[in-house]
Amino acid sequence: MKKLNLRGGIITALFFGFFQGIMPVIGYFLGSRFANIISSFSHWVSFGLLASIGGKMIYEALKGDDDSEEGKEYCLDINELFLLAIATSIDALAVGIVFAAQKTELVFSVTMIGVITFALSLAGVFIGHRFGSKYEKQAETAGGIILIFIGLKLLLEGLGVI
C-alpha cells in the first residue's frame, strides 16, 4: 500500500480477527467427534493455501514494475484475503476442540482471540505501509517466503516431523 487506506487496513484486520475468532467456535462445536478427520488433512490444506499465496506474492514481486503505479490504493483481492485468513486460522479449529474438552469459557476466549488478532493485524498494516514503501519488492518477497515457511511448519507439525 503506497497510499495508506485505513478502510483497507480495517477490512484486512477484520478478516483475520474474524477467522481467528470463529475457527475455535467451529472446532468447539465439532468437538472431538470429528477431530481425527479434521486433523488428518488440515495441515495439507493450510500448506497448500499458504504456499500458493506465498508463491504468488514472490512471483508478483519478481515479475517487474508493469503494474506498479505511484499512489496505488489498497488492492488485496478479497478472495486472496479470504483464503489467507482461513489458511492462517485452520489450526485454531484444534484450539476449539481443546476448549470443548477443557470446558473453557468460549465467548470470552474467542472474543479475546479475535480482538487481539484484529489489533495486531491493523498494526501490521501500518507497519507494513511504513516499511513496505521503502522496501516494496523485498517486503513482498519476504512476506511470500514467510507464508511458505508457515505453511511448511504447519505441514511438518501435522505429519509429526516436528
Side-chain angles (χ1 to χ4, degrees), residues 50-70:
L50 290 170
S52 63
I53 293 169
K56 182 177 182 247
M57 287 174 66
I58 294 168
Y59 171 77
E60 288 177 358
L62 299 176
K63 77 176 183 174
D65 291 337
D66 56 339
D67 62 351
S68 181
E69 301 169 16
E70 194 62 36

Side-chain angles (χ1 to χ4, degrees), residues 12-27:
T12 300
L14 282 172
F15 265 86
F16 284 97
F18 174 77
F19 281 100
Q20 282 293 328
I22 199 68
M23 288 299 207
V25 173
I26 294 169

